[in-house]
Amino acid sequence: MRWPRRQVLVNASVHARQSRRYQAALQRHLKRGRPGTLRLAKGLGRLAMTLGVETLDLARIHEEALITLVLPSCPSNTRDTMVRRAGAFFAQAIIPIEETHRIAQETNSHLSKLTVLLGIFFLIILLTLTMVDYVSRGFLTMPPTLQ
């Protein structure tokens, strides 16, 4: 499938903005490591969800930000702490996206069950109409208890 040129440009623009926001928020979290910055991660996750960003897209954004912020200048003992903090940040950011996936799966499960029930009801109605037709044509006779 080929995307219209405008759609590709809009997606690239959204990706770039989301990447900048995410990197700035992750940088704040890595410096401070406070719970308040984790709330910011969840807010970024909600924004990403509304923009149609999927988990793997956000993982790529996270990886790019992490490489930019942590790897170039951190000594190895600091790097381990930063990577753990970044992992906690990412985990919070993907919660809204993953919750949406879970809700969609539950909805699909309910729809599948309803589809089966509708099929059963359709068969019952079809059989009932067929029996009524057979009785009206005289092919079947109603038992005396039902007349």
Side-chain angles (χ1 to χ4, degrees), residues 128 131-132 135 140-147:
T128 304
M131 289 187 68
V132 167
V135 168
L140 289 175
T141 55
M142 294 287 285
T145 54
L146 293 178
Q147 291 181 357

Side-chain angles (χ1 to χ4, degrees), residues 89-109:
F89 189 87
F90 179 71
Q92 288 299 308
I94 64 170
I95 286 173
I97 298 169
E98 293 303 311
E99 284 176 345
T100 302
H101 292 171
R102 181 185 52 78
I103 291 168
Q105 287 173 344
E106 289 173 2
T107 301
N108 285 340
S109 174

Side-chain angles (χ1 to χ4, degrees), residues 2 5-6 9 23 42 56 65 71 79 96 115 122 127 129 133 142:
R2 194 155 158 89
R5 181 171 162 71
R6 184 175 186 285
L9 293 175
Q23 185 171 338
K42 204 167 185 179
L56 289 177
L71 296 182
R79 188 179 307 134
T115 302
F122 176 75
L127 288 171
L129 290 173
D133 185 49
M142 294 287 285

Side-chain angles (χ1 to χ4, degrees), residues 35-121:
T37 53
L38 288 177
R39 282 193 299 277
L40 182 58
K42 204 167 185 179
L44 283 170
R46 278 192 294 276
L47 176 62
M49 180 193 62
T50 60
L51 294 173
V53 175
E54 291 291 334
T55 306
L56 289 177
D57 299 323
L58 196 56
R60 280 188 211 102
I61 291 170
H62 177 78
E63 179 186 34
E64 291 166 6
L66 193 58
I67 289 169
T68 303
L69 297 171
V70 175
L71 296 182
S73 60
C74 281
S76 62
N77 59 346
T78 306
R79 188 179 307 134
D80 293 342
T81 302
M82 296 296 184
V83 168
R84 274 196 299 281
R85 283 183 186 171
F89 189 87
F90 179 71
Q92 288 299 308
I94 64 170
I95 286 173
I97 298 169
E98 293 303 311
E99 284 176 345
T100 302
H101 292 171
R102 181 185 52 78
I103 291 168
Q105 287 173 344
E106 289 173 2
T107 301
N108 285 340
S109 174
H110 291 305
L111 285 173
S112 294
K113 290 173 186 173
L114 285 174
T115 302
V116 169
L117 282 174
L118 283 172
I120 291 170
F121 288 139

Side-chain angles (χ1 to χ4, degrees), residues 10 18-19 28-29 51 59 68 70 72 78 88-89 96 102 112 114 125-126 134 139:
V10 169
Q18 184 70 9
S19 294
R28 270 184 254 134
H29 178 70
L51 294 173
T68 303
V70 175
T78 306
F89 189 87
R102 181 185 52 78
S112 294
L114 285 174
I125 290 169
L126 185 64
Y134 280 8
F139 296 134

